[in-house]
Amino acid sequence: MIPQILNPMEQIDHTFLIIFSISAFILLGISGLSIYFLFRYHHTRNPDPDPIEGNLLLEFVWTIIPVILVSGMFVSGWTGFKAARTVPVGAYPIKTTARMWAWNFEYPNGKIADTLWVPQGKPIKIILQSLDVIHSFYMPAYRIKMDALPGRETYTWFLPMKTGEFTVFCAEYCGLKHADMSAKVVVATQTEFDEWVNDFTTPGAVVATGPQKILFDKGCLGCHSLDGSVKAGPTFKGIFGRKTFVIKGGQEESLTADEAYLRRSILDPKAEIVKGFPDLMPPPMDISPEDLNTIINCLKSLP
Amino acid sequence: MTMESNHHLNFLAPQPDRSWLGSWIFSTDHKRIGILYLVAISTFFLVGLCLGLLMRLELIAPGGIIMGPQTYNALFTVHGVIMIFLVVIPSIPAVFGNMILPIQLGAKDVFFPRLNLLSWWLYMFGAGVAVISLFTGGGPPDTGWTFYVPFSTMTKSNTTLSVFGVFILGFSGILTGLNFITTVHRLKPSTTPWMKLPLFTWSLYFTAWIQVLVTPILAITLLLIILERVIGLGLFDPTKGGDPLLYQHLFWIYSHPAVYIMILPAMGVISEIVPVFARKPAFGYRAIVFSGFVIATAGSMVWAHHMFVAGISDTAVMVFSFLTFVVAIPSAIKVFNWTATLYKGSIYLGPPLLYALAFIFLFSLGGLQGLILGSAGTDMHVHDTYFVVGHFHYVVFGGAIFGFFAALHYWLPKMFGRLYNYEWATAALFLKFIGFNLLYFTMLIMGVQGMPRRYYDYLPEFQNLQVISTVGSWILAAGIIMMVINLFYGMRYGEKAGDNPWGGATLEWTVSSPPPAENFEGEPVLTRSPYDFKDIKAPHAE
Ligand SMILES: [Cu+2]
Ligand SMILES: [Cu+2]
């Protein structure tokens, strides 16, 4: 029904323009007319009102004209929406995972990054999923928005036109750091993009096939970094055997992060809170003993 | 009015057989209950206003200024819950429906006076529970007034109790609605034809039906959140086979019609004021009544326009987008009819009319923004941004609350028998109008530029507009304070209003000001149409 080459962004901007102009015209018309009436029929100028009760023809006219106008707006708006829902064949798929309060982008070759790199001029399909609450993938530069839901896949697409840097926001309120849940979008030339996507050592990148994949899959890396930087939770860098201060039952305690501690803090994260961090971590919904062992071994092996 | 009605004490007169407090909080007189609501709702409005001012202050610069993100998230949640459930939804029906509806109809009270008092007590109880939830448990709720799952079932804040408070408030609204429907049917004098009912009465009647029909859905939805939190029911939880979208459907099946619960009564107020001050009949009385009916029915079929990007099917988006545009038509018809009522009138520019005109402008602007949101493509861009925040403040604040302000200026002189200062009223309106547009129009611009809502922090490029918006909030608040002082002072010390200061033709203007406790002696007989102003003087209309 809709030609696939239609760029949703252009169509949506077109609808904006149509609705804004018609609205401005109607608002100015009504306001102008009212002000004129207030002046012209002020009781000092028009002491005897004319008791008109109505006019059927007028009622008919000002019902029909808006019907026609809004029908046009509906069609125009729907066309833009449909375009944003109709992914061109051969679009480049990027699996996008939302969690409190970070985005991760997984490329077809297995690279995972916290920055969304895309090649210029190639349609990009964003396949969305959330690991916890509802988030929303919002890229104002391309007028697209789609909610990321737990337990259900959604999608959207866009056509990166100019190279440059843009932002993805989270548009669905998701708790404490909702406002910080943004990611950088880099539109690069195809060559630059190819170089980046095949380089697994870029900052923020995670090798999805490596032993650390479990940390990504379970959502740990949303709040715990691998490179020593402080996110919502303490970093994983050098975590095994680290001397740690925790708050336990309101009391401060010091301990060395051994295997037993790591296990406890995954299964019952509220019992001991690392000093200086908020009590945010949700207990795991369901975790198999094998997965738990894999995580612990992975943490032990980290530098 | 005459010696005869002076003989009966007015409803404000002290009741020697009861304590002062008891004569109010246990009164079944609809006028006294109206005043109880006025006091409670105004108090909550001022509280909600302060919370709004704090939020705007926090947003004056990027980063943390006066609070942390958790406090900010709690603020916009509590601001929303107070303003929606404790202020705007009850506002005009609970205050002016109670004060005016029975008199306008020609009745001595509502049909169930004691049920009416129970409604007020339920309101206070629900409000009390909501207030307690702020200071107990895991701290004030931080879910947003929409309580979206799964966040609302996971958060540690005291969401269960505040949801329960809103649950109770719902029953207050249902009972008031039931009472008004019954009152109109059973107490309308047999000599009054339906098509001679005042437009305000009609608007309350339609509103009451929406309230009775959709509020139970909210009640069930809220109960499900509580069950989800307390026993882990799993109806909305995908890991247990549930679906979070089910919650959104249930929530908006109530909350979209709730917008009409808020706006229809305000439209009724405007339909009352414009003819009186233009001294000529409401243009297209039947069209206004009929459009009210269409709004009440069609408004219940558009809820999913809040969910265009939530993951519903594309076909559903198409259908709901179309229906949303259909609902725009009856609102447009009302605006055209109000404008046409001014044509060839003999207009008095008194404060109630100026407030009504401000309503018409702000509501029209808000309604036109609704077209952007109803159109699926543009909604994808501005959904969940400041554009939506600006839009619903235009409709709910610029519409419903400005309608409430108009009603205050129109009917308080009837209730208290005294007038306020007109210059102050006009100046306060001017301040509010300027402040309002600075505050919310900037939000529309930021929304189109891509500023998401419910953000504690923002990119530096938005700061200029954020500052203008915050300054607007101060001007708006100054105007509101000025209005409150003026009304307060006027109702105590103002010039005597007389029975019919504006020259109204509906029944409430035939009784004395303040009205007698029993409203009428015997059943009043209509001698004229509600908008037939022939030979009625308007001594204070300007
Ligand atoms: Cu989010
Ligand atoms: Cu709606």
Side-chain angles (χ1 to χ4, degrees):
Chain A
M1 183 168 101
I2 307 294
Q4 297 234 321
I5 39 154
L6 192 60
N7 184 341
M9 182 181 162
E10 281 164 13
Q11 176 62 30
I12 288 170
D13 283 356
H14 190 63
T15 311
F16 265 114
L17 197 68
I18 293 177
I19 301 183
F20 277 147
S21 353
I22 295 178
S23 301
F25 179 78
I26 294 176
L27 189 68
L28 290 178
I30 290 178
S31 312
L33 206 58
S34 301
I35 291 170
Y36 170 73
F37 287 162
L38 293 180
F39 176 81
R40 172 65 189 83
Y41 302 113
H42 190 257
H43 70 98
T44 50
R45 278 178 212 89
N46 197 33
D48 295 311
D50 187 351
I52 315 164
E53 302 223 328
N55 182 322
L56 211 59
L57 181 70
L58 258 181
E59 299 284 353
F60 184 72
V61 168
W62 67 43
T63 307
I64 290 303
I65 293 180
V67 167
I68 297 171
L69 290 178
V70 300
S71 303
M73 293 177 191
F74 161 70
V75 172
S76 173
W78 169 248
T79 313
F81 187 84
K82 190 70 197 162
R85 301 295 301 153
T86 313
V87 186
V89 184
Y92 187 78
I94 298 177
K95 260 183 81 178
T96 302
T97 310
R99 70 166 68 85
M100 286 166 159
W101 294 279
W103 297 99
N104 276 108
F105 306 98
E106 184 178 346
Y107 292 79
N109 68 353
K111 174 165 178 168
I112 297 175
D114 57 8
T115 309
L116 176 61
W117 275 65
V118 289
Q120 180 191 14
K122 189 165 187 179
I124 305 295
K125 182 177 185 183
I126 301 286
I127 303 158
L128 284 160
Q129 213 179 353
S130 165
L131 294 181
D132 38 50
V133 301
I134 299 175
H135 304 272
S136 191
F137 179 93
Y138 178 34
M139 199 155 69
Y142 287 93
R143 321 283 186 264
I144 52 165
K145 183 180 291 119
M146 193 65 210
D147 284 7
L149 300 157
R152 178 196 298 237
E153 232 178 54
T154 53
Y155 69 89
T156 185
W157 79 278
F158 68 105
L159 180 66
M161 292 178 296
K162 271 192 230 133
T163 56
E165 287 190 4
F166 307 94
T167 313
V168 168
F169 296 99
C170 174
E172 184 65 66
Y173 173 68
C174 57
L176 187 70
K177 299 198 173 187
H178 169 53
D180 300 335
M181 188 172 161
S182 55
K184 197 164 79 175
V185 183
V186 179
V187 180
T189 61
Q190 185 73 50
T191 344
E192 284 170 340
F193 173 77
D194 288 340
E195 201 176 297
W196 178 86
V197 82
N198 291 313
D199 177 1
F200 284 76
T201 62
T202 51
V206 186
V207 186
T209 48
Q212 296 155 12
K213 183 168 171 17
I214 182 92
L215 299 181
F216 173 77
D217 286 347
K218 292 291 172 190
C220 314
L221 298 182
C223 299
H224 306 277
S225 75
L226 293 171
D227 59 4
S229 61
V230 176
K231 290 171 124 179
T235 178
F236 281 158
K237 188 177 179 184
I239 188 164
F240 190 71
R242 182 160 71 200
K243 200 160 155 61
T244 308
F245 290 94
V246 296
I247 311 286
K248 187 177 180 182
Q251 302 290 322
E252 193 176 321
E253 277 177 29
S254 89
L255 53 79
T256 306
D258 54 6
E259 185 172 329
Y261 163 76
L262 290 178
R263 245 171 231 284
R264 284 202 309 275
S265 57
I266 293 170
L267 293 175
D268 187 9
K270 284 172 199 358
E272 293 152 289
I273 305 290
V274 176
K275 196 185 167 199
F277 288 93
D279 171 18
L280 284 176
M281 183 162 151
M285 296 205 187
D286 56 317
I287 186 161
S288 66
E290 300 86 69
D291 279 352
L292 187 59
N293 285 334
T294 320
I295 291 177
I296 301 285
N297 288 332
C298 175
L299 289 177
K300 277 182 177 175
S301 71
L302 286 176
Chain B
M1 202 161 74
T2 56
M3 287 299 289
E4 192 142 46
S5 60
N6 283 339
H7 191 68
H8 294 269
L9 286 174
N10 80 54
F11 83 102
L12 292 170
Q15 299 174 354
D17 50 330
R18 283 168 133 171
S19 71
W20 176 83
L21 188 65
S23 76
W24 282 97
I25 63 171
F26 298 121
S27 170
T28 55
D29 179 351
H30 67 98
K31 302 178 285 299
R32 287 198 165 217
I33 293 176
I35 288 177
L36 289 178
Y37 273 116
L38 177 62
V39 173
I41 289 173
S42 310
T43 311
F44 284 117
F45 174 71
L46 294 177
V47 172
L49 181 78
C50 291
L51 299 181
L53 287 170
L54 284 174
M55 264 190 282
R56 280 312 325 165
L57 187 58
E58 168 55 41
L59 290 168
I60 200 164
I65 305 298
I66 52 168
M67 63 185 79
Q70 184 63 30
T71 312
Y72 181 81
N73 295 347
L75 266 188
F76 71 67
T77 303
V78 178
H79 170 83
V81 169
I82 289 184
M83 287 306 209
I84 301 269
F85 295 110
L86 289 173
V87 179
V88 185
I89 287 180
S91 64
I92 296 176
V95 177
F96 292 101
N98 267 312
M99 283 181 182
I100 301 299
L101 173 72
I103 318 184
Q104 206 171 49
L105 197 63
K108 286 189 165 38
D109 204 324
V110 292
F111 193 75
F112 300 113
R114 273 179 295 182
L115 190 68
N116 202 17
L117 180 63
L118 177 67
S119 298
W120 182 77
W121 275 99
L122 278 177
Y123 172 86
M124 293 307 287
F125 182 52
V129 170
V131 169
I132 290 171
S133 78
L134 304 183
F135 304 105
T136 53
D142 63 344
T143 58
W145 76 277
T146 45
F147 302 116
Y148 264 26
V149 298
F151 184 75
S152 63
T153 57
M154 285 165 56
T155 177
K156 298 181 201 88
S157 67
N158 202 358
T159 306
T160 308
L161 202 59
S162 50
V163 164
F164 185 61
V166 175
F167 176 79
I168 298 169
L169 286 169
F171 283 94
S172 165
I174 294 173
L175 294 183
T176 301
L178 212 55
N179 217 337
F180 285 0
I181 294 172
T182 322
T183 304
V184 172
H185 278 279
R186 306 299 297 182
L187 298 182
K188 180 177 72 64
S190 49
T191 51
T192 307
W194 281 92
M195 280 297 147
K196 290 237 188 300
L197 286 180
L199 289 163
F200 181 59
T201 299
W202 270 116
S203 76
L204 288 175
Y205 177 72
F206 290 135
T207 308
W209 271 111
I210 315 179
Q211 219 159 0
V212 168
L213 291 175
V214 300
T215 316
I217 303 172
L218 175 75
I220 283 290
T221 315
L222 296 173
L223 216 52
L224 288 175
I225 298 186
I226 296 177
L227 291 178
E228 196 93 6
R229 281 179 71 87
V230 177
I231 63 166
L233 192 62
L235 212 54
F236 306 134
D237 181 353
T239 60
K240 293 179 185 160
D243 188 345
L245 286 189
L246 175 64
Y247 172 82
Q248 297 182 21
H249 279 293
L250 287 171
F251 181 80
W252 290 113
I253 287 175
Y254 165 76
S255 294
H256 185 81
V259 176
Y260 297 112
I261 296 178
M262 303 179 210
I263 202 70
L264 268 176
M267 290 172 154
V269 173
I270 305 311
S271 305
E272 214 60 35
I273 293 175
V274 174
V276 169
F277 284 80
R279 315 301 303 149
K280 89 186 246 288
F283 192 94
Y285 171 94
R286 277 162 194 275
I288 296 180
V289 173
F290 184 67
S291 61
F293 172 73
V294 175
I295 288 177
T297 46
S300 316
M301 295 185 286
V302 299
W303 73 86
H305 62 205
H306 299 268
M307 301 167 63
F308 286 168
V309 298
I312 60 175
S313 85
D314 293 351
T315 314
V317 172
M318 181 169 80
V319 172
F320 280 100
S321 167
F322 180 74
L323 289 173
T324 302
F325 278 112
V326 171
V327 180
I329 307 294
S331 297
I333 293 176
K334 288 204 189 244
V335 171
F336 297 142
N337 277 303
W338 293 324
T339 311
T341 303
L342 298 172
Y343 174 67
K344 291 202 173 173
S346 180
I347 300 167
Y348 290 78
L349 286 171
L353 181 67
L354 296 178
Y355 274 85
L357 293 169
F359 167 96
I360 296 174
F361 180 84
L362 297 175
F363 174 74
S364 304
L365 188 43
L368 291 166
Q369 294 148 17
L371 300 173
I372 294 278
L373 295 164
S375 134
T378 43
D379 179 72
M380 186 165 9
H381 178 53
V382 290
H383 175 76
D384 269 331
T385 66
Y386 269 37
F387 189 89
V388 172
V389 181
H391 163 69
F392 68 66
H393 280 92
Y394 266 92
V395 175
V396 171
F397 190 169
I401 294 292
F402 270 68
F404 184 76
F405 292 164
L408 286 173
H409 287 84
Y410 185 61
W411 278 309
L412 280 193
K414 165 56 61 188
M415 299 316 288
F416 293 95
R418 289 175 189 276
L419 293 167
Y420 42 80
N421 181 305
Y422 286 18
E423 278 81 39
W424 271 59
T426 311
L429 173 64
F430 182 75
L431 277 183
K432 275 180 287 192
F433 188 78
I434 300 288
F436 183 95
N437 284 297
L438 286 179
L439 172 53
Y440 297 117
F441 203 84
T442 44
M443 289 196 185
L444 299 176
I445 302 172
M446 284 187 268
V448 172
Q449 291 175 348
M451 168 81 213
R453 69 189 282 206
R454 294 173 169 175
Y455 264 35
Y456 163 72
D457 197 358
Y458 52 86
L459 299 177
E461 66 228 46
F462 290 110
Q463 196 183 352
N464 287 342
L465 288 168
Q466 293 276 16
V467 170
I468 297 175
S469 181
T470 300
V471 172
S473 74
W474 299 336
I475 301 176
L476 176 62
I480 290 172
I481 293 167
M482 193 171 165
M483 173 187 76
V484 170
I485 294 174
N486 185 33
L487 288 175
F488 247 111
Y489 189 84
M491 293 316 109
R492 284 194 77 102
Y493 309 107
E495 186 190 342
K496 284 255 195 312
D499 293 351
N500 196 356
W502 326 119
T506 43
L507 280 174
E508 76 269 30
W509 304 108
T510 64
V511 301
S512 55
S513 310
E518 293 280 302
N519 297 351
F520 303 98
E521 292 176 59
E523 193 173 80
V525 177
L526 277 193
T527 52
R528 56 170 78 230
S529 295
Y531 306 106
D532 168 14
F533 303 106
K534 206 167 169 346
D535 302 324
I536 301 182
K537 290 243 166 345
H540 296 291
E542 192 173 291

